[in-house]
Amino acid sequence: MAASRPVLSPLLAFSRRILATSPAAPILPLGTLIGARWLHAGSAPSHATGGPAGTAPGGGATPPSEDGGETHDDFKPQIKAAEGVLPVHAQIQEDIKSCPVVVFMKGLPSAPMCGFSAAVVRVLAAHGVDFKGVNVLEDPDLREGIKSFSEWPTIPQVYVNGEFIGGCDIVMKMHQSGELADVLKSLKAAPATS
């Protein structure tokens, strides 16, 4: 019976080909490459490889420190907000002011993309209320920004006359208790603003 060659996983075979293009780079065990932020062993941080401080296997230097060393923009800290109002919060505020009833939801009122958004749309339709639906799936910043704006962790979020009412669970409870009808009556009496 002939001895069989071990079969390499596609990832290990790929990493060996990549590392073979760099003569100074030793081949690392597969576990070292999976989940690591480096591909070339010469750029591995010393704490991850067990090498002497400031060096990596093969004698290479560790990547520059976070205190101003050069690194790719994807790995630099991202400034999410300047002091004051986030740009997405200003957009949310404009949306809320643009219509008496605004629903930040997954999908559109005509095609909700989650059951909770669909439930809110059905409840508002049952009350005969015109509302503006804002699809948070179109913009990841808006999707996270609405949560920080209202300090409410879930979507959909319903605003009436600029005031945050709540998510699906609260709107459903208000609907069942009759409280939502009372809140929405004020809209039917007052003319809509554009």
Side-chain angles (χ1 to χ4, degrees):
M1 186 170 212
S4 63
R5 283 183 76 186
V7 178
L8 296 177
S9 73
L11 179 59
L12 182 58
F14 174 75
S15 64
R16 286 180 186 245
R17 279 196 311 270
I18 295 297
L19 293 174
T21 62
S22 177
I27 295 179
L28 301 173
L30 181 60
T32 306
L33 293 174
I34 294 177
R37 287 193 278 174
W38 63 90
L39 182 60
H40 185 278
S43 65
S46 61
H47 68 276
T49 61
T55 64
T62 58
S65 69
E66 293 180 17
D67 332 282
E70 292 183 29
T71 185
H72 191 275
D73 287 342
D74 289 346
F75 299 105
K76 289 182 180 175
Q78 300 296 314
I79 298 173
K80 290 290 184 183
E83 298 217 13
V85 178
L86 292 171
V88 73
H89 286 189
Q91 175 191 345
I92 292 167
Q93 192 66 44
E94 283 182 33
D95 286 334
I96 291 169
K97 288 179 180 178
S98 72
C99 189
V101 181
V102 179
V103 180
F104 291 88
M105 59 185 288
K106 294 179 181 176
L108 300 170
S110 60
M113 299 295 288
C114 82
F116 299 112
S117 294
V120 167
V121 168
R122 282 193 305 269
V123 166
L124 293 175
H127 286 276
V129 174
D130 291 330
F131 65 93
K132 177 180 182 176
V134 180
N135 185 2
V136 299
L137 297 177
E138 291 179 349
D139 183 358
D141 290 336
L142 176 61
R143 186 175 182 172
E144 292 307 311
I146 189 64
K147 295 174 186 179
S148 63
F149 180 83
S150 63
E151 296 179 0
W152 190 260
T154 60
I155 296 169
Q157 294 186 14
V158 179
Y159 289 80
V160 176
N161 289 330
E163 182 182 339
F164 177 59
I165 298 299
C168 180
D169 54 343
I170 293 174
V171 169
M172 294 302 286
K173 286 179 184 174
M174 289 176 72
H175 170 65
Q176 292 166 352
S177 72
E179 188 180 351
L180 185 61
D182 294 339
V183 169
L184 296 175
K185 275 183 195 174
S186 66
L187 295 176
K188 293 178 183 175
T193 58
S194 320

